[in-house]
Amino acid sequence: MAVKEPNGYRGNIKETMWSVWPTWESWNWTGSTDYKGEAVPSWEGKPIDVEVYTKAPKVKLYLNDKLVGTKQVSRDTQFKAVFSIPYEVGVLRAEADGKSVTLATAGEPARLRLTADRNVIAAGGQDLAYITVEVVDKDGRVCPDAAIPCEAVVKGQGQLMAFASADLKDREPKTSSRVTTWKGRALLVVRSSKTKGKAQINIKSSLPTATLTIISK
């Protein structure tokens, strides 16, 4: 399930022959600031399109436990159900074939969450660990509008190779130790040293410092 960015929320959206409409796994449309620091207005009460992707024949969509509607899904609909509903803070839930998926409005950023694709890598200077940095609220929900400047510090038996986000407008070098999270996320790449031991990763920001340990063996 994902939500089509409303045209005008962050300016007019222009499509080309090769583009797709920006669609996000987010139910945060309460207004924020854009990459220039300019205010983005709330979309409260305005229509917004929710897309649910499934091969199940029927989908039900709920907003704050109230049934929004039911849609039939087939090859003719590209296995996609589209619901247009007024935006309201809360929890979206789609149900199909006894399974469900949710999108919830995140609160204010509370901390950074670090998740490594693996916590043990091979010593020798050629192995890599990929660490996802997420800005989350007090309930652990990713804050999809969070743009938090971060700095990575790697100590011990490891080397910082890259720290970046998917923001195409970010001109900070990918090999820099600094990045600003985009859509609440960033990615850190750490390379093993040639010596066995531990690498401690600290991510500093305006939020509490987040720490993770990677072992080279």
Coordinates of all heavy atoms in Angstrom, one line a residue, residues 32-87:
S32 N 4.8 20.2 6.4 CA 6.2 20.1 7.0 C 7.0 21.2 6.3 O 6.5 22.3 6.0 CB 6.8 18.8 6.7 OG 6.8 18.5 5.3
T33 N 8.3 21.0 6.1 CA 9.1 21.9 5.4 C 9.8 21.1 4.3 O 10.1 19.9 4.4 CB 10.2 22.6 6.3 OG1 11.0 21.5 6.9 CG2 9.6 23.4 7.3
D34 N 10.1 21.8 3.1 CA 10.7 21.1 2.0 C 12.2 21.2 2.2 O 12.8 21.7 3.2 CB 10.3 21.7 0.7 CG 10.6 23.2 0.5 OD1 11.4 23.7 1.3 OD2 10.1 23.8 -0.4
Y35 N 13.0 20.8 1.2 CA 14.4 20.7 1.3 C 15.1 22.1 1.3 O 16.2 22.3 1.7 CB 15.0 19.9 0.1 CG 15.0 20.7 -1.3 CD1 16.1 21.3 -1.7 CD2 13.8 20.6 -2.0 CE1 16.0 22.0 -3.0 CE2 13.7 21.3 -3.2 CZ 14.8 22.0 -3.7 OH 14.8 22.6 -4.9
K36 N 14.3 23.2 1.0 CA 14.8 24.5 1.1 C 14.4 25.2 2.4 O 14.8 26.3 2.7 CB 14.2 25.4 -0.1 CG 14.6 25.0 -1.5 CD 14.0 25.9 -2.5 CE 14.4 25.5 -3.9 NZ 13.8 26.3 -4.9
G37 N 13.7 24.4 3.2 CA 13.3 25.0 4.5 C 12.0 25.7 4.4 O 11.6 26.4 5.4
E38 N 11.3 25.7 3.3 CA 10.1 26.4 3.1 C 8.9 25.6 3.6 O 8.9 24.3 3.5 CB 9.9 26.8 1.6 CG 11.0 27.7 1.1 CD 10.8 28.0 -0.3 OE1 10.0 27.4 -1.0 OE2 11.6 28.8 -0.9
A39 N 7.8 26.2 4.1 CA 6.7 25.5 4.7 C 5.9 24.8 3.6 O 5.7 25.3 2.5 CB 5.8 26.5 5.4
V40 N 5.4 23.6 3.9 CA 4.5 22.8 3.1 C 3.2 22.8 3.8 O 3.1 22.4 5.0 CB 5.1 21.4 2.9 CG1 4.1 20.6 2.1 CG2 6.4 21.5 2.2
P41 N 2.1 23.2 3.1 CA 0.8 23.2 3.8 C 0.2 21.9 4.1 O 0.5 20.9 3.5 CB -0.1 24.0 2.8 CG 0.5 23.7 1.5 CD 2.0 23.6 1.7
S42 N -0.6 21.8 5.1 CA -1.3 20.5 5.5 C -2.3 20.2 4.4 O -2.9 21.1 3.7 CB -2.0 20.7 6.8 OG -2.9 19.6 7.0
W43 N -2.5 18.9 4.2 CA -3.5 18.4 3.2 C -4.8 17.9 3.9 O -5.6 17.2 3.3 CB -2.9 17.3 2.4 CG -3.5 17.2 1.0 CD1 -4.4 16.2 0.5 CD2 -3.3 18.0 -0.1 NE1 -4.7 16.5 -0.8 CE2 -4.0 17.6 -1.2 CE3 -2.5 19.2 -0.3 CZ2 -4.0 18.2 -2.4 CZ3 -2.5 19.8 -1.5 CH2 -3.2 19.3 -2.6
E44 N -4.9 18.3 5.2 CA -6.1 17.8 6.0 C -7.4 18.1 5.3 O -7.7 19.3 4.9 CB -6.1 18.5 7.3 CG -7.0 18.0 8.3 CD -6.5 16.7 9.0 OE1 -5.3 16.5 9.1 OE2 -7.4 15.9 9.4
G45 N -8.2 17.1 5.1 CA -9.6 17.2 4.5 C -9.6 17.2 3.0 O -10.7 17.2 2.4
K46 N -8.4 17.3 2.4 CA -8.4 17.3 0.9 C -8.2 15.9 0.4 O -7.7 15.0 1.0 CB -7.2 18.2 0.4 CG -7.3 19.6 0.9 CD -6.1 20.4 0.4 CE -6.2 21.8 0.8 NZ -5.0 22.6 0.4
P47 N -8.7 15.6 -0.9 CA -8.7 14.2 -1.4 C -7.2 13.8 -1.7 O -6.4 14.6 -2.2 CB -9.5 14.3 -2.7 CG -9.5 15.8 -3.1 CD -9.4 16.6 -1.8
I48 N -7.0 12.5 -1.5 CA -5.7 12.0 -1.7 C -5.9 10.5 -2.1 O -6.8 9.8 -1.7 CB -4.8 12.1 -0.4 CG1 -3.4 11.8 -0.7 CG2 -5.3 11.2 0.7 CD1 -2.4 12.2 0.4
D49 N -5.1 10.0 -3.1 CA -5.3 8.7 -3.6 C -4.4 7.7 -2.9 O -3.2 7.9 -2.7 CB -4.9 8.7 -5.1 CG -5.9 9.3 -6.0 OD1 -7.0 9.6 -5.5 OD2 -5.6 9.6 -7.2
V50 N -5.0 6.6 -2.5 CA -4.3 5.5 -1.8 C -4.4 4.3 -2.8 O -5.4 3.9 -3.3 CB -5.0 5.1 -0.5 CG1 -4.3 3.9 0.2 CG2 -5.1 6.3 0.5
E51 N -3.2 3.7 -3.0 CA -3.1 2.5 -3.9 C -2.8 1.3 -3.1 O -1.9 1.3 -2.3 CB -2.0 2.8 -5.0 CG -2.4 4.0 -5.9 CD -1.3 4.1 -7.0 OE1 -0.2 3.5 -6.9 OE2 -1.6 4.9 -7.9
V52 N -3.5 0.2 -3.4 CA -3.3 -1.1 -2.7 C -3.0 -2.1 -3.8 O -3.7 -2.2 -4.8 CB -4.5 -1.6 -1.9 CG1 -4.2 -2.9 -1.2 CG2 -4.9 -0.5 -0.9
Y53 N -1.9 -2.8 -3.7 CA -1.4 -3.7 -4.7 C -1.6 -5.2 -4.2 O -1.0 -5.5 -3.2 CB 0.1 -3.5 -5.1 CG 0.4 -2.0 -5.1 CD1 1.2 -1.4 -4.2 CD2 -0.1 -1.2 -6.1 CE1 1.5 -0.1 -4.2 CE2 0.2 0.2 -6.2 CZ 1.0 0.7 -5.2 OH 1.3 2.1 -5.2
T54 N -2.3 -6.0 -5.0 CA -2.6 -7.3 -4.5 C -3.1 -8.2 -5.7 O -3.7 -7.6 -6.6 CB -3.6 -7.4 -3.4 OG1 -3.8 -8.7 -3.0 CG2 -4.9 -6.7 -3.8
K55 N -2.9 -9.5 -5.6 CA -3.6 -10.4 -6.5 C -4.9 -11.0 -6.0 O -5.5 -11.8 -6.6 CB -2.6 -11.5 -6.9 CG -1.4 -11.1 -7.7 CD -0.6 -12.3 -8.2 CE 0.5 -11.8 -9.1 NZ 1.4 -12.9 -9.6
A56 N -5.2 -10.6 -4.7 CA -6.5 -11.0 -4.2 C -7.6 -10.4 -5.0 O -7.5 -9.3 -5.5 CB -6.6 -10.6 -2.7
P57 N -8.8 -11.0 -5.1 CA -9.9 -10.5 -5.9 C -10.6 -9.3 -5.4 O -11.2 -8.6 -6.1 CB -10.8 -11.7 -6.0 CG -10.6 -12.5 -4.8 CD -9.1 -12.3 -4.5
K58 N -10.4 -9.0 -4.1 CA -11.2 -7.9 -3.4 C -10.4 -7.3 -2.3 O -9.7 -8.0 -1.6 CB -12.5 -8.4 -2.9 CG -13.4 -7.3 -2.4 CD -14.8 -7.9 -2.1 CE -14.8 -9.0 -1.1 NZ -16.2 -9.4 -0.8
V59 N -10.4 -6.0 -2.2 CA -9.7 -5.2 -1.1 C -10.7 -4.3 -0.4 O -11.5 -3.7 -1.0 CB -8.6 -4.4 -1.7 CG1 -7.9 -3.5 -0.7 CG2 -7.5 -5.2 -2.4
K60 N -10.5 -4.3 0.9 CA -11.3 -3.4 1.7 C -10.3 -2.4 2.4 O -9.2 -2.8 2.8 CB -12.1 -4.1 2.9 CG -13.2 -4.9 2.4 CD -14.0 -5.5 3.5 CE -15.2 -6.3 3.0 NZ -16.0 -6.8 4.1
L61 N -10.6 -1.1 2.4 CA -9.8 -0.1 3.0 C -10.5 0.6 4.2 O -11.6 1.0 4.0 CB -9.4 1.0 2.0 CG -8.4 2.0 2.5 CD1 -7.0 1.4 2.7 CD2 -8.3 3.2 1.5
Y62 N -9.8 0.7 5.3 CA -10.3 1.3 6.5 C -9.4 2.5 6.9 O -8.2 2.4 6.7 CB -10.3 0.3 7.7 CG -11.2 -0.9 7.5 CD1 -10.7 -2.0 6.8 CD2 -12.5 -0.9 8.0 CE1 -11.6 -3.1 6.6 CE2 -13.3 -2.0 7.9 CZ -12.8 -3.1 7.1 OH -13.6 -4.2 7.0
L63 N -10.0 3.5 7.4 CA -9.3 4.7 7.9 C -9.8 4.9 9.3 O -11.0 5.1 9.5 CB -9.5 5.9 7.1 CG -8.9 7.2 7.7 CD1 -7.4 7.1 7.9 CD2 -9.2 8.4 6.7
N64 N -8.9 4.7 10.3 CA -9.3 4.8 11.7 C -10.4 3.9 12.0 O -11.4 4.3 12.7 CB -9.6 6.3 12.1 CG -8.3 7.1 12.0 OD1 -7.2 6.7 12.2 ND2 -8.5 8.4 11.6
D65 N -10.3 2.6 11.5 CA -11.3 1.6 11.8 C -12.7 1.8 11.1 O -13.6 1.1 11.4 CB -11.5 1.3 13.3 CG -10.2 0.8 13.9 OD1 -9.5 0.0 13.3 OD2 -9.9 1.1 15.1
K66 N -12.8 2.8 10.3 CA -14.0 3.0 9.5 C -13.8 2.6 8.1 O -12.9 2.9 7.5 CB -14.4 4.5 9.6 CG -14.7 5.0 11.0 CD -15.1 6.5 10.9 CE -15.3 7.0 12.3 NZ -15.6 8.5 12.3
L67 N -14.8 1.8 7.6 CA -14.7 1.3 6.2 C -14.8 2.4 5.2 O -15.7 3.2 5.2 CB -15.8 0.3 5.9 CG -15.8 -0.4 4.5 CD1 -14.5 -1.1 4.3 CD2 -17.0 -1.2 4.3
V68 N -13.7 2.6 4.4 CA -13.7 3.6 3.4 C -14.4 3.1 2.1 O -15.2 3.8 1.5 CB -12.3 4.0 3.0 CG1 -12.2 4.9 1.8 CG2 -11.6 4.7 4.2
G69 N -14.1 1.8 1.8 CA -14.8 1.2 0.6 C -14.2 -0.1 0.3 O -13.2 -0.6 0.9
T70 N -14.8 -0.8 -0.7 CA -14.3 -2.1 -1.2 C -14.1 -2.0 -2.7 O -14.9 -1.4 -3.4 CB -15.4 -3.1 -0.9 OG1 -15.6 -3.2 0.5 CG2 -14.9 -4.5 -1.4
K71 N -13.0 -2.5 -3.2 CA -12.7 -2.5 -4.6 C -12.4 -3.9 -5.1 O -11.8 -4.7 -4.4 CB -11.5 -1.6 -4.9 CG -11.7 -0.2 -4.5 CD -12.3 0.6 -5.7 CE -12.3 2.1 -5.4 NZ -12.8 2.9 -6.5
Q72 N -12.8 -4.2 -6.3 CA -12.5 -5.4 -7.0 C -11.1 -5.3 -7.7 O -10.8 -4.2 -8.2 CB -13.5 -5.8 -8.1 CG -14.9 -6.0 -7.5 CD -15.0 -7.2 -6.6 OE1 -14.4 -8.2 -6.8 NE2 -15.8 -7.0 -5.5
V73 N -10.3 -6.3 -7.7 CA -8.9 -6.3 -8.2 C -8.8 -7.4 -9.2 O -9.2 -8.6 -9.0 CB -7.9 -6.4 -7.1 CG1 -6.5 -6.4 -7.7 CG2 -8.1 -5.3 -6.1
S74 N -8.2 -7.1 -10.4 CA -8.0 -8.1 -11.4 C -6.8 -7.6 -12.3 O -6.3 -6.6 -12.1 CB -9.2 -8.3 -12.2 OG -9.6 -7.2 -12.9
R75 N -6.6 -8.5 -13.3 CA -5.6 -8.0 -14.3 C -6.0 -6.7 -15.0 O -5.2 -5.9 -15.3 CB -5.4 -9.1 -15.4 CG -4.3 -8.8 -16.4 CD -4.2 -9.9 -17.4 NE -3.8 -11.2 -16.8 CZ -2.5 -11.5 -16.7 NH1 -1.6 -10.7 -17.0 NH2 -2.2 -12.7 -16.1
D76 N -7.3 -6.5 -15.2 CA -7.8 -5.3 -15.8 C -7.5 -4.1 -15.0 O -7.4 -3.0 -15.5 CB -9.4 -5.4 -16.0 CG -9.7 -6.5 -17.1 OD1 -8.9 -6.8 -17.9 OD2 -10.9 -7.0 -17.0
T77 N -7.4 -4.2 -13.7 CA -7.0 -3.1 -12.8 C -5.6 -3.0 -12.5 O -5.1 -2.3 -11.6 CB -7.8 -3.1 -11.5 OG1 -7.3 -4.2 -10.7 CG2 -9.3 -3.3 -11.7
Q78 N -4.8 -3.9 -13.2 CA -3.3 -4.0 -13.0 C -3.0 -4.4 -11.6 O -2.0 -4.1 -11.0 CB -2.6 -2.6 -13.3 CG -2.8 -2.1 -14.7 CD -2.2 -0.8 -15.0 OE1 -2.1 0.0 -14.1 NE2 -1.7 -0.6 -16.2
F79 N -3.9 -5.3 -11.1 CA -3.8 -5.8 -9.7 C -3.6 -4.7 -8.7 O -2.8 -4.8 -7.8 CB -2.6 -6.8 -9.6 CG -2.9 -8.0 -10.5 CD1 -2.1 -8.2 -11.7 CD2 -3.8 -9.0 -10.2 CE1 -2.3 -9.2 -12.5 CE2 -4.0 -10.1 -11.0 CZ -3.3 -10.2 -12.2
K80 N -4.3 -3.6 -8.9 CA -4.2 -2.4 -8.1 C -5.6 -1.9 -7.8 O -6.5 -1.8 -8.7 CB -3.4 -1.4 -8.8 CG -3.2 -0.1 -8.0 CD -2.3 0.9 -8.7 CE -2.8 1.3 -10.1 NZ -1.8 2.2 -10.8
A81 N -5.9 -1.5 -6.5 CA -7.1 -0.9 -6.1 C -6.8 0.6 -5.7 O -5.8 0.8 -4.9 CB -7.8 -1.6 -5.0
V82 N -7.5 1.5 -6.2 CA -7.2 2.9 -6.0 C -8.4 3.5 -5.2 O -9.6 3.5 -5.7 CB -6.9 3.7 -7.2 CG1 -6.6 5.2 -6.9 CG2 -5.8 3.1 -8.0
F83 N -8.2 4.1 -4.1 CA -9.2 4.8 -3.3 C -8.9 6.2 -3.2 O -7.7 6.6 -2.8 CB -9.3 4.2 -1.9 CG -9.6 2.7 -1.8 CD1 -8.6 1.8 -2.0 CD2 -10.9 2.3 -1.6 CE1 -8.9 0.4 -1.9 CE2 -11.2 0.9 -1.6 CZ -10.2 0.0 -1.7
S84 N -9.8 7.1 -3.4 CA -9.6 8.6 -3.2 C -10.4 9.0 -2.0 O -11.6 8.8 -1.9 CB -10.1 9.3 -4.4 OG -9.9 10.7 -4.3
I85 N -9.7 9.4 -0.9 CA -10.3 9.8 0.3 C -9.8 11.1 0.9 O -8.6 11.5 0.6 CB -10.1 8.7 1.4 CG1 -8.6 8.5 1.7 CG2 -10.7 7.3 0.9 CD1 -8.3 7.5 2.8
P86 N -10.6 11.8 1.7 CA -10.1 13.0 2.3 C -9.0 12.6 3.3 O -9.2 11.7 4.1 CB -11.3 13.6 3.0 CG -12.5 13.0 2.3 CD -12.0 11.6 2.0
Y87 N -7.9 13.4 3.3 CA -6.8 13.0 4.3 C -7.2 13.3 5.7 O -7.8 14.4 6.0 CB -5.5 13.8 4.0 CG -4.5 13.5 5.0 CD1 -3.8 12.3 5.1 CD2 -4.1 14.5 6.0 CE1 -2.9 12.0 6.1 CE2 -3.2 14.3 6.9 CZ -2.5 13.0 7.0 OH -1.6 12.8 7.9

